[in-house]
């Protein structure tokens, strides 16, 4: 007979979590005002969204996140 840990009052095992900045990939990255590279990547993402090209939109988000980490420490 198997038992359920919840019924026995044992805590469920937890998984490690990522830092907040890395774990919430559901929100698009925001460009830094005044940064030409950020603005170009955000514009690229906007064009992809207007064309309903989810692949290109994702690519732009990835490139913007990389740029933000490298150049802006975000």
């Amino acid at each position: 007979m198997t038992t359920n840990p919840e019924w026995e009052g044992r805590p469920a095992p937890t998984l490690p979590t990522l830092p907040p900045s890395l774990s919430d990939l559901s929100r698009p990255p925001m460009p830094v005002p005044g940064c030409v590279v950020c603005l170009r990547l955000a514009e690229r993402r906007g064009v992809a969204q207007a064309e309903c090209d989810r692949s290109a939109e994702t690519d732009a988000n990835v490139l913007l996140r990389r740029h933000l980490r490298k150049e802006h420490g975000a």
Side-chain angles (χ1 to χ4, degrees), residues 9-27:
R10 292 187 208 152
T14 58
L15 299 174
T17 58
L18 294 172
S21 61
L22 299 177
S23 65
D24 188 7
L25 298 178
S26 63
R27 287 191 258 174

Side-chain angles (χ1 to χ4, degrees), residues 38-54:
C38 285
L39 296 176
R40 284 186 187 153
L41 290 169
E43 181 179 287
R44 183 173 171 178
R45 178 180 58 203
V47 169
Q49 288 171 334
E51 295 174 353
C52 298
D53 186 344
R54 297 289 289 165

Side-chain angles (χ1 to χ4, degrees), residues 29-31 38 41-42 45 60-68:
M30 298 303 296
C38 285
L41 290 169
R45 178 180 58 203
N61 282 336
V62 168
L63 292 172
L64 182 53
R65 281 189 180 94
R66 285 182 186 168
H67 169 73
L68 289 169

